[in-house]
Amino acid sequence: MSEQQPNPYAGDPGQAGRPGQPGQPGQGDYTWGPGEAGYGYPQPYPAAPAYQPTMGAGMPLPVPAPAGGGGAGMSLGDITIAGDQIITPSGTMPLRGAMWNATDFSRTEEKIPTHAIILAVIFFLFCLLGLLFLLMKEKKTTGYIQITVTSGGRHHSTMIPAQDQNTYPWVMSQLNFARSLSI
């Protein structure tokens, strides 16, 4: 039989003092287990939010605005901006870096009202000008506008009922103001 070759990966007693050599843990050696978080590895969990005292029914206490600055106070549905915080029923969020979105779920229908049809039939019998009553139109807006805000690992959504066709542009102007405060 042939003579066995020595294991090239086994540590040599003469090399015990030099780091980075096979058999000795040191610089450049591979270590088992998860290392530092990096690309492709899950990031560590964010710290748990601090305890927030509540008043009856689990509602958070209002946070006073800091004296030093922040955004002006405004409200969209149940989302309120006070100082540098966004206050929602699900808790407070930091205003800086908040992502705001709006989705229009409203629709405006236009139809001829019933009284215009009756007047057109009655006045058609007397003269042909009765057909002008059919030009009367009635606009009715139904639905809502959904506003969502995401900040600090939290997400909140609210619905604002659409009163007329100008509700969505008004909500977007308020939302753009909130976006400018979030920068």
Side-chain angles (χ1 to χ4, degrees):
M1 294 229 136
S2 68
E3 188 177 316
Q4 285 187 335
Q5 298 294 323
N7 186 354
Y9 299 109
D12 186 19
Q15 298 176 348
R18 290 188 278 171
Q21 296 297 320
Q24 299 291 324
Q27 187 176 5
D29 288 341
Y30 179 77
T31 57
W32 288 95
E36 295 294 318
Y39 181 76
Y41 290 101
Q43 300 298 318
Y45 288 108
Y51 172 74
Q52 179 181 1
T54 58
M55 56 186 175
M59 295 293 295
L61 288 173
V63 178
M74 68 171 276
S75 179
L76 277 169
D78 59 0
I79 300 172
T80 303
I81 297 176
D84 62 349
Q85 296 287 318
I86 301 169
I87 303 170
T88 66
S90 59
T92 60
M93 298 181 240
L95 178 61
R96 186 172 195 89
M99 297 293 294
W100 298 87
N101 290 312
T103 308
D104 188 9
F105 290 111
S106 66
R107 68 176 189 201
T108 301
E109 298 173 346
E110 186 176 291
K111 67 174 193 164
I112 301 173
T114 309
H115 65 274
I117 296 172
I118 294 171
L119 289 172
V121 170
I122 292 173
F123 282 100
F124 178 72
L125 299 175
F126 297 116
C127 63
L128 293 177
L129 294 176
L131 294 176
L132 292 176
F133 284 108
L134 294 178
L135 295 176
M136 293 174 59
K137 302 289 183 191
E138 182 179 74
K139 291 184 179 181
K140 184 177 179 182
T141 302
T142 58
Y144 55 90
I145 291 121
Q146 179 184 27
I147 297 175
T148 58
V149 60
T150 304
S151 180
R154 289 189 173 195
H155 175 82
H156 184 73
S157 177
T158 188
M159 309 280 192
I160 296 178
Q163 303 295 327
D164 56 14
Q165 59 192 7
N166 297 324
T167 304
Y168 185 68
W170 175 80
V171 168
M172 285 307 295
S173 69
Q174 296 293 312
L175 200 69
N176 287 332
F177 179 66
R179 285 176 179 157
S180 69
L181 294 175
S182 297
I183 296 176

